[in-house]
Amino acid sequence: MLKRRGFIKAGTFAAGGLLVSASAGKAAEGAFELPELGYGFDALEPYIDAATMEIHHGKHHATYVLKLNEAVAGAADLKGKSLPEILGNLSEIKDKSLMATVRNNGGGHWNHSFFWKTLAPAGKSGKPSDDLTAAINGEYGSLAKMQEAFGAAAASRFGSGWVWLNEKDGKLKISSTPNQDAPIMKGVVADGELGKPLLGLDVWEHAYYLKYQNKRPDYVAAFWKVVDWEAVSKRLG
Ligand code: MN
């Protein structure tokens, strides 16, 4: 963002005209941007701390966006495509090194953008809609049982990755992906297509280590206090 603004300003200064600004805008077309959180870094306190949020959004997520933009800028086939289009056709990228870069950083951008929209400020978590409650009860027996199964999946994800609650073939399913693999990827996720993601949790250490250190289960328990159930419920169906 700052980089682009600097580029436009420098270009305008150098050539002194609107034409340069317009072409700078065109050059940036199709580029990906770090989304706003929609709440303050401290909004999730005391469950997720402000320092973690600031570093997670401003450094980790921003770096995925930067590296994705660099990769796409050098790949004519990918220019102008949306992130779902790119991630849904990863196996079509023949250059294996480029594919890995796009998989990691495109997945990172998609996963984090989805994650921020899955969280609500402390005290504003709400509750699952009647439809989502019925789906959860039908599959797991209760919300608490679903959370238990989700927590078990989070605990057993070795190393870095994500845990998901998905809707697939009209049923709810908990799954997990390694690294930055995203549920909307096709052809690369180990256990096939995961279905439509309703909710996802980042279990990379960068998401919780400052406050929770090695206590991943405590972080998972805190996550449930700041889930935006309204947003999650709207994803169902
Ligand atoms: Mn993360």
Side-chain angles (χ1 to χ4, degrees):
M1 199 67 180
L2 283 172
K3 210 175 171 185
R4 185 188 304 163
R5 237 179 249 137
F7 171 62
I8 292 169
K9 200 175 172 189
T12 306
F13 178 73
L18 283 169
L19 276 176
V20 173
S21 292
S23 67
K26 201 172 180 184
E29 202 172 278
F32 298 99
E33 286 187 23
L34 182 67
E36 298 283 337
L37 281 179
Y39 40 79
F41 293 128
D42 61 353
L44 311 178
E45 293 267 11
Y47 306 107
I48 301 178
D49 60 292
T52 294
M53 288 301 290
E54 187 166 3
I55 297 166
H56 200 175
H57 179 261
K59 303 289 184 194
H60 291 277
H61 188 174
T63 302
Y64 298 128
V65 175
L66 182 76
K67 293 192 170 176
L68 174 64
N69 280 334
E70 284 174 0
V72 169
D77 291 354
L78 301 180
K79 272 188 193 169
K81 288 191 175 171
S82 71
L83 194 51
E85 280 176 316
I86 292 173
L87 298 182
N89 298 284
L90 273 180
S91 53
E92 287 177 13
I93 304 174
K94 299 302 172 212
D95 178 334
K96 293 302 164 204
S97 164
L98 175 65
M99 198 271 250
T101 301
V102 171
R103 179 179 184 171
N104 289 333
N105 295 287
H109 180 33
W110 193 92
N111 288 340
H112 287 83
S113 300
F114 185 82
F115 186 47
W116 311 135
K117 291 195 183 79
T118 299
L119 302 173
K124 297 190 175 165
S125 171
K127 55 181 188 172
S129 68
D130 290 348
D131 285 351
L132 181 56
T133 298
I136 289 171
N137 291 347
E139 193 64 37
Y140 299 97
S142 69
L143 178 61
K145 290 282 186 196
M146 184 280 282
Q147 290 172 329
E148 204 176 290
F150 191 96
S156 64
R157 163 49 57 199
F158 185 78
S160 298
W162 291 76
V163 186
W164 307 97
L165 178 67
N166 302 297
E167 179 188 8
K168 193 181 182 194
D169 304 325
K171 291 179 71 177
L172 298 188
K173 189 177 175 233
I174 289 167
S175 52
S176 152
T177 54
N179 305 312
Q180 292 297 351
D181 279 0
I184 66 163
M185 287 179 182
K186 292 191 175 72
V188 294
V189 175
D191 46 346
E193 291 179 31
L194 302 184
K196 182 181 175 184
L198 304 181
L199 175 159
L201 176 62
D202 188 344
V203 295
W204 282 58
E205 284 188 344
H206 70 224
Y208 64 87
Y209 204 84
L210 284 181
K211 185 174 172 77
Y212 296 98
Q213 293 84 47
N214 61 324
K215 300 183 286 286
R216 187 185 283 182
D218 290 0
Y219 160 68
V220 178
F223 162 69
W224 294 118
K225 304 285 190 187
V226 289
V227 165
D228 185 342
W229 282 115
E230 191 186 339
V232 173
S233 298
K234 279 183 183 162
R235 293 168 182 157
L236 184 73

